[in-house]
Amino acid sequence: MRAIHFDHVSKQFPGAPRPAVNDCSLEVEAGSFVVLVGPSGCGKTTLLKMVNRLYEPTGGTISIDGTEIRQLPVTELRRKIGYVIQQVGLFPHMTVAKNIAVVPQLLGWPREKIAARTDELLALIGLPPEEYRRRYPAQLSGGQQQRVGLARALAADPGVMLMDEPFGAIDAITRTGLQDEMARLQRTLKKTILFVTHDVEEALRLGDLIVVMRDGQIVQSGTPLSVLTQPADAFVHDLLGADDMVRQLGLLRVEETMETVPDGVRRSDGPTIGRDNDLRHALSLLLRTAATTLTVMEGETAVGTLTLDQIHRAVLTGKANEVHH
Amino acid sequence: MHVVTRAYEYASDHRDELVAAIERHLLLVGIALGIGILVCVPLGTITARSRVASATLINGFNALRVIPSLAILFLALPYFGLSLKSAVLALTILALPPILINTDAAFRTIDPAIREAAYGMGMARREVLRRVEFPLAMPVIIAGIRTAAVEVIASATLAAFIGGGGLGRFITLGFATYDNAILLVGAVPVALLALIAEIGMSALQRALQPPTH
């Protein structure tokens, strides 16, 4: 199961003055990283929790790969969907390995397969299995706990992952590390991820598609660069900080902006930058080194040059493509 | 002769009686605790979900406990007669509140995020109870059973008043004959049993506590 389809989904909680989610339709492509962003109370978490039926919609339908989610028994549905929450919710009476093994056990996997999978996941999230598998959650740092939470959600290799502000309670430095790691994991795992955050920086860093919500409705959805450069209204403009040029630069890639040098010969001895980097790093490097030109490298070969002027033009024209694809 | 020495001699002379009394005492305690656990643990898992239910039931059970056990014994006499049943009734009423209160508190204080994670991963209600809630609640429930056990072990001596037997027999006998030695033959084992229960259950409670650091 991969693609998720929201069809006019609404959720009215009993006694609430207005619906928490109001007539939301959204197409989530298989393998895409979709970030729901918006102020608190905008309905993003409610929308997320209707996918694994922790909340039931009061209107509309949600389908995964064309099958309405209510067709499946709820426990079966949930075992096919990875779920990560801000408070992590690891079971304190179980070791790290036992925590990760929960869903495989529910699915009745044989013991050796579970043990192998647990070790594989611990290695994947950067916690050496020999050292960590027998520890208890209380013996881990906050960042390590959330890594285990992520491994637990990935255990049975679900096609869909729901992540509800997973890094919201983690300190800024660890959070950036986890975001990088999440982006790295997604490049190889290719899950369909629905990710809720109120952190715009995080949304732009991680998402292929940004879905902006307000008052229970979807205000705009699009690629990070498109929502940032063409905000639908003043609300989106302000929420995303669309005037923040440095933020935009973070979404533009060096290789899309540089001037190519065909012969691979370095033109100067000045500072160098990798072609995969973004323009925010490039600008920072230019300012720090007081150089006029950066040499763009691919491994040991010079492939292009980048000047302050080119960066300036890239911002003005908005021609370059996004970093995330 | 010193009273302790005489008590020891009395106990040696009445060895079979003493063993029988200890067995009867443990039977009384066992039945009362058993009923308390069977009633209050399931009840506590339910009351934990409703503030009203838990307030009503806990206050109700506590009110029952205010009636002196001796009064309950005599109140039960017309219905159950001079038998084990009357004693068990009085002791069970003592055992109920601590077990219910602790079970209720144990389930109530489980972190909602842990519950949400459990359901979100696809556990059914039964699995959440068995694999997550019970293991987490167990140390606190055991603490409740510990309190109940100590109380019931001490109070089971009252059974002797209505012919229910147990270690209270030696206490009433010693009292009636002004012989402190006989009284000690009942009192010392009761104190030891209570101490063993306290220490044993505390150890169990610690063993079931998940590591916190």
Side-chain angles (χ1 to χ4, degrees):
Chain A
M1 13 193 275
R2 316 289 313 230
I4 313 169
H5 176 66
F6 295 84
D7 189 21
H8 298 286
V9 175
S10 295
K11 174 69 181 178
Q12 170 77 54
F13 286 105
R18 54 173 190 80
V21 169
N22 190 359
D23 195 28
C24 285
S25 294
L26 179 66
E27 210 62 65
V28 177
E29 278 173 42
S32 63
F33 197 133
V34 175
V35 181
L36 303 174
V37 66
S40 40
C42 71
K44 53 194 192 299
T45 294
T46 308
L47 191 63
L48 182 92
K49 286 185 178 179
M50 284 192 278
V51 178
N52 63 359
R53 295 181 60 191
L54 287 172
Y55 295 149
E56 297 289 357
T58 46
T61 55
I62 300 171
S63 321
I64 296 180
D65 277 352
T67 311
E68 225 234 273
I69 55 173
R70 272 177 292 199
Q71 306 279 313
L72 278 177
V74 68
T75 51
E76 200 179 309
L77 173 80
R78 288 173 182 165
R79 288 168 196 180
K80 291 182 182 175
I81 298 176
Y83 187 46
V84 185
I85 56 177
Q86 182 180 342
Q87 307 87 334
V88 193
L90 292 180
F91 304 134
H93 60 297
M94 295 184 190
T95 60
V96 164
K98 284 257 157 55
N99 265 288
I100 296 174
V102 167
V103 177
Q105 263 180 358
L106 288 171
L107 294 172
W109 287 17
R111 231 171 25 157
E112 313 78 63
K113 190 179 168 193
I114 293 179
R117 179 66 177 156
T118 308
D119 284 359
E120 182 192 345
L121 283 165
L122 279 171
L124 185 73
I125 56 165
L127 299 177
E130 323 70 62
E131 195 180 332
Y132 284 94
R133 66 166 91 88
R134 269 184 287 276
R135 290 212 195 170
Y136 283 87
Q139 297 163 335
L140 305 177
S141 71
Q144 290 172 334
Q145 287 183 18
Q146 194 52 285
R147 280 164 202 258
V148 175
L150 185 62
R152 183 172 70 168
L154 287 168
D157 203 16
V160 173
M161 296 278 286
L162 305 178
M163 308 183 74
D164 189 1
E165 305 225 19
F167 311 138
I170 289 164
D171 68 86
I173 295 172
T174 313
R175 183 163 63 229
T176 312
L178 283 171
Q179 287 165 354
D180 287 343
E181 205 150 352
M182 190 67 226
R184 175 181 66 82
L185 284 174
Q186 174 61 357
R187 274 197 290 277
T188 51
L189 297 175
K190 289 282 173 218
K191 304 285 181 193
T192 305
I193 299 178
L194 213 51
F195 188 106
V196 162
T197 184
H198 63 258
D199 179 346
V200 171
E201 205 71 48
E202 178 170 86
L204 297 173
R205 261 176 93 110
L206 292 174
D208 303 321
L209 188 76
I210 306 290
V211 177
V212 183
M213 289 186 69
R214 179 173 66 160
D215 295 339
Q217 291 185 305
I218 294 174
V219 192
Q220 187 177 6
S221 65
T223 61
L225 194 64
S226 77
V227 290
L228 203 55
T229 52
Q230 296 138 34
D233 59 16
F235 167 76
V236 179
H237 181 274
D238 292 348
L239 180 80
L240 300 184
D243 287 335
D244 188 341
M245 287 303 146
V246 176
R247 187 168 272 175
Q248 288 193 23
L249 287 179
L251 299 173
L252 295 167
R253 228 184 330 191
V254 166
E255 64 181 343
E256 311 280 358
T257 315
M258 69 185 186
E259 194 161 302
T260 46
V261 287
D263 50 4
V265 178
R266 286 189 63 162
R267 296 294 194 273
S268 72
D269 293 332
T272 62
I273 189 164
R275 64 182 302 163
D276 285 337
N277 249 303
D278 59 56
L279 292 189
R280 187 173 176 166
H281 278 100
L283 178 65
S284 168
L285 190 61
L286 276 172
L287 295 175
R288 185 152 41 86
T289 56
T292 52
T293 310
L294 293 178
T295 307
V296 182
M297 307 293 287
E298 182 174 17
E300 294 300 309
T301 330
V303 289
T305 57
L306 188 66
T307 62
L308 199 56
D309 221 33
Q310 284 166 318
I311 294 175
H312 192 203
R313 255 180 290 143
V315 174
L316 289 181
T317 56
K319 255 184 188 167
N321 291 318
E322 311 94 287
V323 171
H324 302 282
H325 254 303
Chain B
M1 234 192 319
H2 194 268
V3 66
V4 177
T5 326
R6 280 196 298 114
Y8 181 75
E9 278 176 4
Y10 185 91
S12 312
D13 292 347
H14 300 78
R15 194 189 186 84
D16 292 347
E17 258 176 84
L18 179 61
V19 171
I22 290 174
E23 279 172 3
R24 171 51 71 91
H25 205 91
L26 289 176
L27 181 70
L28 281 169
V29 172
I31 294 174
L33 279 182
I35 296 175
I37 292 167
L38 285 178
V39 171
C40 289
V41 172
L43 209 56
T45 65
I46 297 166
T47 60
R49 279 184 271 171
S50 150
R51 211 165 276 282
V52 182
S54 90
T56 315
L57 272 164
I58 288 174
N59 288 333
F61 280 9
N62 268 329
L64 272 183
R65 191 160 60 154
V66 173
I67 309 171
S69 300
L70 204 53
I72 291 174
L73 280 182
F74 293 125
L75 286 173
L77 276 182
Y79 303 99
F80 297 127
L82 284 169
S83 69
L84 204 65
K85 281 184 194 161
S86 301
V88 165
L89 176 72
L91 294 177
T92 303
I93 285 173
L94 278 181
L96 296 175
I99 302 177
L100 179 66
I101 290 169
N102 277 44
T103 307
D104 180 273
F107 277 84
R108 193 177 291 280
T109 51
I110 290 174
D111 183 353
I114 290 174
R115 225 177 242 131
E116 186 184 331
Y119 283 110
M121 283 191 292
M123 287 193 190
R125 169 91 195 110
R126 176 173 34 89
E127 286 153 347
V128 176
L129 256 181
R130 188 170 59 86
R131 305 175 66 148
V132 179
E133 295 186 329
F134 258 114
L136 288 175
M138 210 40 100
V140 182
I141 297 176
I142 297 285
I145 296 174
R146 188 185 82 193
T147 309
V150 172
E151 213 165 318
V152 170
I153 287 169
S155 301
T157 50
L158 293 177
F161 280 105
I162 57 157
L167 288 162
R169 274 193 56 216
F170 297 105
I171 299 176
T172 44
L173 184 63
F175 195 67
T177 59
Y178 296 108
D179 190 341
N180 283 345
I182 302 178
L183 197 141
L184 279 183
V185 172
V188 172
V190 167
L192 286 178
L193 285 180
L195 206 62
I196 290 168
E198 173 77 27
I199 293 169
M201 300 266 227
S202 299
L204 185 62
Q205 198 182 328
R206 271 196 305 277
L208 291 173
Q209 192 77 51
T212 50
H213 57 82

